Amino acid sequence: MKSFYIETFGCQMNVHDSEKVIGTLMQRGYNQVETADHADLVLFNTCSIRDKAEQKVFNRLQHHKKGGAKQVVGLLGCVAQQEGEKVFERAPHVSLVVGSASYTKLPELLVRIEQGERRVTGLSLDTDETFETPLTRRDNPFRAFLTIIEGCDKSCAYCVVPYTRGPERSRTLASVLDEVKKLVDTGYTEITLLGQNVNSYRDPSATQANFAQLLAAVGQVPGIRRVRFTTSHPRDFTKDIIDAIDDVPTLCNHIHLPVQSGSTRILEAMQRQYSIDQYMQRIEWMKNARRKMAITTDLIVGFPGETEAEFQETLNLMDVVGYDGIFSFKYSPRPNTPALHMVDAVPEEEKGRRLLRLVEHQRTILIRNNAAYVGSVEEVHVEYFNNATGQWVGKSMQHKTVNFTHPEGPSARLEGTYLDVLVTRSGVASLVGEAMEEAVAV
Ligand code: 5AD
Ligand code: SF4
């Protein structure tokens, strides 16, 4: 039996792609091992969203000592797609280079490798296929990822993804629901629907269901307790998504809606296709939802031409929205993207200063936001017992981390259960509480 080792960089989409690749390999009789040393096949599933991410991949590749002459080293994912055949020059010990839009071809590419072909690529972006495997091994025992749409048809000026993941293609509603039911049968109660832009989902079969309809259908599958989704695009985010969350209690009251900048001028330069007024209209829908919504976002500082005043518009937006979490990044020029040759670059040190100011600002917002939960009861999906703190750890419906004590401590065996926790304290990164006395793990 052949063995393989896989290491994953980047986003949740990549993590889930790896799970599917693992499924494909296991179906072909490969056996997964935990170290690269003696594996027959070593795979790196890569990310190129920012230059640092890409450097990390090449550093890792340079440090990988080939385990024997016969070991096959393969590069998957976004760096593979972006660099293509150039990978063979930069890293001559690599013999397989495959972008995510070609994963359906993996079995045949592997056959060619098994037959001794030295350099094999899968780099076509011209596809209408989605990567579906009957057997996907999931890393997290309680929470499953599920892809509903692949690729991206937007052209944000800074972003490599349209060039690394290809055009948008949605899976059929029937195949999504079928997978959800199978996940429930194997014990999963929480699902995260994935796509670069889930809001532009459209069932390619006769129902033509849109994202809100798919969401409602998934949330109503018997046995499902929580449904999350990421990532949304403000331009395609419609009110019916909030209506669905209002109507279906399993749909989590947390929305990740990347804004990138608080300045309409910068948004235009980024080719984001919305203004701050339009973004705020979406936020209003969320603020008027039946349940209190947690709102999180992505922010880029130092996009070419961003002035101090425009940066302050971002700080101001953070206050107005009151985000429950931000992922913030320094702008990083990427190959092939329209922004690559934009002039008026913001100096690296200034980007660094702006990033720090954002993070510091967000701390104050989080302290204020989280304090409002003290005294409330949150349903927690429990993940593990932290021996260092003597607390159980889990996530609330709004995706807040909750650390809590239970009279029985670690012997309560709460992993994977849902239970009500009374919040007694709050911090920047988490809520702290106690399991409710009458709470029974379910
Ligand atoms: N530079 C910095 N941040 C970027 N992102 C995407 N491309 C870049 C880039 N070139 C950020 C965006 C996106 C998140 C996944 O990564 O904020 O939403
Ligand atoms: Fe990285 Fe974007 Fe590719 Fe995900 S889609 S792996 S974030 S470059």
Side-chain angles (χ1 to χ4, degrees):
M1 194 194 248
K2 291 205 163 201
S3 63
F4 74 97
Y5 167 83
I6 187 165
E7 208 171 298
T8 306
F9 301 80
C11 64
Q12 290 168 324
M13 202 80 173
N14 253 21
V15 172
H16 184 43
D17 280 349
S18 285
E19 291 175 337
K20 291 195 269 188
V21 168
I22 292 169
T24 306
L25 288 168
M26 285 172 44
Q27 250 185 336
R28 292 191 48 79
Y30 280 77
N31 171 39
Q32 189 177 10
V33 292
E34 294 306 316
T35 55
D37 303 350
H38 303 295
D40 297 303
L41 174 65
V42 173
L43 296 174
F44 297 102
N45 191 1
T46 62
C47 173
S48 66
I49 194 84
R50 284 167 291 274
D51 188 53
K52 238 199 211 150
E54 186 179 334
Q55 291 316 322
K56 203 159 130 190
V57 169
F58 280 105
N59 283 343
R60 178 68 187 89
L61 214 48
Q62 242 90 61
H63 284 107
H64 173 68
K65 296 269 172 301
K66 226 174 139 164
K70 288 224 185 87
Q71 185 177 76
V72 172
V73 179
L75 209 63
L76 307 179
C78 293
V79 175
Q81 186 67 48
Q82 181 188 295
E83 297 299 304
E85 313 236 339
K86 278 187 273 174
V87 171
F88 297 134
E89 292 156 32
R90 277 180 86 172
H93 57 305
V94 171
S95 46
L96 180 70
V97 176
V98 188
S100 67
S102 303
Y103 289 164
T104 45
K105 303 212 173 60
L106 263 181
E108 59 191 86
L109 299 176
L110 283 170
V111 168
R112 286 168 51 192
I113 287 279
E114 283 159 11
Q115 287 168 346
E117 228 176 290
R118 181 65 190 84
R119 286 185 165 168
V120 175
T121 59
L123 294 168
S124 172
L125 283 179
D126 179 21
T127 180
D128 54 6
E129 286 177 347
T130 53
F131 181 38
E132 294 175 38
T133 60
L135 191 149
T136 34
R137 208 216 58 179
R138 262 116 175 146
D139 267 339
N140 185 312
F142 312 122
R143 187 174 307 134
F145 291 136
L146 194 160
T147 311
I148 60 166
I149 179 169
E150 291 179 24
C152 181
D153 283 350
K154 291 279 181 292
S155 51
C156 302
Y158 51 79
C159 190
V160 282
V161 173
Y163 314 95
T164 61
R165 285 189 169 272
E168 272 178 6
R169 56 253 183 232
S170 293
R171 279 175 67 180
T172 63
L173 177 63
S175 83
V176 170
L177 290 176
D178 192 47
E179 190 170 345
V180 173
K181 285 177 193 140
K182 285 198 182 115
L183 286 167
V184 171
D185 287 344
T186 54
Y188 284 98
T189 54
E190 178 170 335
I191 288 186
T192 303
L193 305 175
L194 293 179
Q196 296 303 330
N197 176 5
V198 290
N199 308 142
S200 63
Y201 175 85
R202 177 69 63 174
D203 182 1
S205 74
T207 78
Q208 294 197 1
N210 70 9
F211 178 61
Q213 290 163 326
L214 169 122
L215 204 51
V218 170
Q220 289 174 72
V221 170
I224 284 294
R225 298 277 303 249
R226 286 185 179 182
V227 182
R228 303 185 186 282
F229 55 91
T230 198
T231 270
S232 288
H233 190 294
R235 161 94 191 195
D236 301 327
F237 193 97
T238 45
K239 168 99 174 20
D240 55 359
I241 299 170
I242 302 296
D243 296 339
I245 295 174
D246 274 348
D247 291 344
V248 183
T250 55
L251 303 182
C252 289
N253 48 338
H254 164 221
I255 288 174
H256 183 65
L257 193 65
V259 66
Q260 314 299 357
S261 166
S263 151
T264 294
R265 193 194 75 83
I266 291 292
L267 289 175
E268 223 165 88
M270 287 177 166
Q271 300 174 26
R272 288 288 287 174
Q273 306 179 346
Y274 56 85
S275 64
I276 284 299
D277 283 349
Q278 286 164 327
Y279 183 82
M280 282 311 297
Q281 184 189 37
R282 275 84 179 144
I283 299 294
E284 279 310 304
W285 296 337
M286 294 175 203
K287 301 263 181 200
N288 291 327
R290 229 168 263 167
R291 286 172 284 164
K292 182 174 163 184
M293 291 269 177
I295 307 172
T296 55
T297 201
D298 292 349
L299 294 166
I300 296 177
V301 297
F303 188 76
E306 184 190 64
T307 64
E308 166 64 23
E310 285 161 345
F311 169 67
Q312 283 184 16
E313 287 184 71
T314 300
L315 294 177
N316 182 43
L317 178 76
M318 288 165 69
D319 282 328
V320 176
V321 178
Y323 288 112
D324 287 285
I326 60 164
F327 296 94
S328 48
F329 311 99
K330 288 193 271 185
Y331 167 69
S332 164
R334 303 312 293 132
N336 307 318
T337 59
L340 183 61
H341 302 293
M342 283 185 188
V343 288
D344 225 358
V346 176
E348 247 348 87
E349 315 80 70
E350 180 54 25
K351 284 187 205 165
R353 276 194 294 271
R354 289 182 189 174
L355 190 69
L356 279 180
R357 285 166 69 193
L358 270 197
V359 172
E360 196 43 46
H361 198 63
Q362 180 58 21
R363 271 179 68 86
T364 60
I365 293 174
L366 268 177
I367 288 170
R368 191 172 66 218
N369 278 6
N370 287 346
Y373 290 86
V374 175
S376 75
V377 174
E378 298 292 319
E379 184 197 66
V380 176
H381 190 188
V382 187
E383 288 166 19
Y384 64 96
F385 185 77
N386 183 341
N387 280 310
T389 62
Q391 290 167 317
W392 285 93
V393 185
K395 288 276 193 293
S396 75
M397 197 81 170
Q398 293 180 313
H399 208 244
K400 293 208 175 262
T401 300
V402 183
N403 300 301
F404 65 97
T405 50
H406 186 281
E408 289 165 40
S411 54
R413 309 307 320 237
L414 300 174
E415 295 92 343
T417 63
Y418 292 82
L419 132 147
D420 282 344
V421 171
L422 174 66
V423 179
T424 53
R425 277 187 297 131
S426 66
V428 181
S430 64
L431 306 175
V432 181
E434 300 157 2
M436 299 282 284
E437 258 171 57
E438 69 275 25
V440 182
V442 284

